[in-house]
Amino acid sequence: MKRSVIDIVDLSAQELEELVATAEDIIANPDKYAHACDRKKLATLFFEPSTRTRMSFEAAMYELGGHVISVSSAMSSSAAKGESVADTAKTVSCYADIIAMRHPKEGAAYVAATNASVPVINAGDGGHCHPTQTLADLLTIWREKRRFDGLTIGLCGDLKFGRTVHSLINAMSRYPGNRFVLISPEELKVPSYVKRDVLKQHNVPYVQTTDLESAMPELDILYMTRVQRERFFNEEDYLRLKDSYILTPDKLKNAKQDLAILHPLPRVNEISVAIDDDPRACYFKQVLNGKFMRMALILKLLKEAGTL
Ligand code: NCD
């Protein structure tokens, strides 16, 4: 049966763990997967800028032996002529076995999924969610901590518009004993629908603060994020808020020795490059982990669709 992944909750906790196990197997035995998707095609439709997400989907499909066809900007596709997402999805279904789509509008991936005849993977829809970044985050957390429960997770920066944050909260709220420290400027707090429908719904403890340094000692994971300039209504607000948090080595003085520092990237100013060589910096490992999890997800969805 054709199945799409629009939100991280489209995958059960058990399925997330199975994807992690597949990714670990791919890492250990890459040759076993080198022809798994021979002659299958992935379409990447990216109507918003991307380096990692698009390239990791494409690298993932190549490493599975498949092919990639691609639209890398709205301006180079019929979207510029006014074609609807629904028509684009129907069209691309004629060429590809699976679609990964990024779009500036919340809900666009859902519209694509309901109109496509092949599985659609949401590669980020506006400020809403970004489930495959969460897959990258989960494999990173797993490889660093060997567990998904009993963790104190600090999320820092733009928690309002940061779609990766919303998806990660959703995923980690399903495991017992996790708590969140939500660190942001007043204007960029986690949206109330996420607090109501996810954190309160699952009785997950959380605190909101503006102060990164005083939260630091208790954190097992620190997830830094970029202030999402493209989602601001005016440039002055962005300029005022953009450097709210800059992680520098002195701010890690009181951090745990086994803290894991994550960032979905791109980084602008949020993490000083002086931290890159700290063994706690995991953000480039996270990039690589994203490719393995996308391989695992492509395989799963193509198998379920009966394409493999
Ligand atoms: C993130 C995104 O696009 O939401 N990037 C990514 O996919 N790794 C984060 C961001 O753009 O800040």
Side-chain angles (χ1 to χ4, degrees):
M1 198 186 68
K2 178 202 105 166
R3 191 168 157 214
S4 292
V5 172
I6 305 306
D7 196 318
I8 196 70
V9 295
D10 294 335
L11 297 162
S12 68
Q14 187 188 331
E15 287 178 309
L16 294 179
E17 286 148 35
E18 286 164 5
L19 288 169
V20 166
T22 306
E24 289 281 11
D25 196 49
I26 292 170
I27 293 167
N29 308 293
D31 291 350
K32 192 169 129 191
Y33 295 89
H35 296 287
C37 290
D38 274 356
R39 306 191 60 222
K40 302 302 171 205
K41 276 176 279 168
L42 163 77
T44 52
L45 301 183
F46 276 63
F47 299 123
E48 247 194 1
S50 169
T51 299
R52 273 152 293 271
T53 307
R54 184 166 68 86
M55 294 187 79
S56 74
F57 266 113
E58 297 183 355
M61 195 52 167
Y62 283 123
E63 288 189 26
L64 291 167
H67 301 279
V68 176
I69 52 178
S70 187
V71 162
S72 59
S73 81
M75 291 321 289
S76 69
S77 75
S78 286
K81 302 180 187 169
E83 185 169 54
S84 66
V85 167
D87 284 1
T88 302
K90 285 181 183 154
T91 302
V92 177
S93 298
C94 300
Y95 308 135
D97 300 291
I98 187 163
I99 298 172
M101 189 178 97
R102 168 170 290 187
H103 199 281
K105 287 211 179 100
E106 291 79 4
Y110 174 77
V111 174
T114 50
N115 285 280
S117 56
V118 299
V120 173
I121 304 173
N122 182 7
D125 61 331
H128 182 219
C129 56
H130 191 348
T132 63
Q133 180 60 46
T134 303
L135 297 181
D137 304 342
L138 288 175
L139 182 58
T140 308
I141 293 170
W142 178 254
R143 301 205 106 204
E144 298 303 313
K145 301 283 172 200
R146 294 284 151 194
R147 67 183 202 277
F148 289 134
D149 54 7
L151 296 166
T152 298
I153 304 158
L155 301 167
C156 178
D158 185 348
L159 308 188
K160 178 179 180 185
F161 297 117
R163 54 194 175 194
T164 65
V165 165
H166 308 155
S167 294
L168 186 59
I169 291 177
N170 246 305
M172 296 306 282
S173 289
R174 293 197 251 177
Y175 294 95
N178 288 336
R179 45 188 296 273
F180 290 97
V181 185
L182 306 174
I183 309 150
S184 74
E186 278 299 318
E187 294 93 328
L188 298 179
K189 282 157 100 171
V190 169
S192 49
Y193 78 89
V194 176
K195 284 185 266 192
R196 185 189 60 230
D197 300 344
V198 185
L199 293 167
K200 290 186 183 144
Q201 184 74 22
H202 291 87
N203 286 318
V204 181
Y206 69 91
V207 291
Q208 299 187 95
T209 175
T210 54
D211 185 359
L212 171 59
E213 274 170 276
S214 56
M216 193 65 86
E218 57 178 328
L219 303 181
D220 298 305
I221 292 164
L222 172 59
Y223 194 93
M224 297 296 293
T225 63
R226 173 180 73 90
V227 175
Q228 306 280 294
R229 176 182 208 159
E230 64 276 36
R231 315 224 187 277
F232 273 67
F233 296 112
N234 67 67
E235 185 73 1
E236 295 95 84
D237 284 351
Y238 169 71
L239 293 173
R240 183 167 52 80
L241 295 168
K242 73 182 174 71
D243 292 328
S244 298
Y245 301 99
I246 300 177
L247 189 62
T248 47
D250 57 300
K251 298 207 175 107
L252 287 175
K253 259 192 335 274
N254 298 318
K256 289 187 179 173
Q257 278 314 304
D258 65 347
L259 171 72
I261 305 168
L262 278 67
H263 189 311
L265 304 180
R267 131 177 87 183
V268 183
N269 265 336
E270 311 79 53
I271 303 182
S272 146
V273 290
I275 297 198
D276 294 0
D277 293 329
D278 188 303
R280 292 169 288 190
C282 298
Y283 28 93
F284 288 108
K285 293 186 205 166
Q286 211 176 335
V287 174
L288 187 58
N289 291 337
K291 182 187 70 180
F292 296 122
M293 286 300 267
R294 290 182 176 105
M295 290 172 79
L297 182 64
I298 290 169
L299 272 176
K300 176 181 171 63
L301 296 181
L302 286 179
K303 275 188 196 148
E304 287 186 19
T307 311
L308 288 184

